[in-house]
Amino acid sequence: MPVGLSAGLSAADLTRIVNGPDDLGWSGRQKALLRCVDELHAMSTITEAIWRELAEHYDERQLIELVMLVGHYHEVAFVLNALRVPLDTWVGPSTVPGAPRWRG
């Protein structure tokens, strides 16, 4: 949470992230981004509906970069988890529903 707060997110933003893209307060662009990330995580692809939503806000180069960015963070998570890299001391148990508890 401290990283998100230092990047300018509010505590309310962080709560809305956990609640998902249909939570009140997100702009159309933000909802599209959250849906994109959720779909990539769940299915390793993006549906045509989400591509259309994203295309309302981003050009082709930005869309490619977005997918690459999400993939990069997924890769980093795989590596850190697989190598059992300890969490930073300020990180507590996940508050994301369904997230596994850290085994470190």
Side-chain angles (χ1 to χ4, degrees):
M1 185 140 130
V3 173
L5 294 173
S6 69
L9 294 172
S10 68
D13 291 333
L14 297 172
T15 298
R16 281 199 315 270
I17 290 168
V18 172
N19 292 340
D22 294 324
D23 196 81
L24 298 177
W26 294 124
S27 69
R29 180 182 60 84
Q30 291 168 323
K31 287 179 182 187
L33 286 171
L34 289 167
R35 287 184 179 118
C36 168
V37 172
D38 287 348
E39 285 194 355
L40 283 169
H41 178 71
M43 304 181 310
S44 299
T45 192
I46 301 170
T47 62
E48 288 299 320
I50 299 304
W51 275 123
R52 284 191 298 275
E53 280 187 53
L54 290 167
E56 293 176 15
H57 307 282
Y58 300 100
D59 64 30
E60 185 176 11
R61 292 182 87 156
Q62 292 170 318
L63 292 171
I64 293 168
E65 187 173 343
L66 173 61
V67 174
M68 297 293 291
L69 180 65
V70 173
H72 172 71
Y73 278 103
H74 211 157
E75 174 188 7
V76 169
F78 285 161
V79 171
L80 293 175
N81 287 336
L83 297 178
R84 309 297 195 266
V85 174
L87 293 175
D88 292 328
T89 56
W90 55 265
V91 176
S94 175
T95 59
V96 177
R101 293 192 60 89
W102 182 253
R103 26 176 211 290

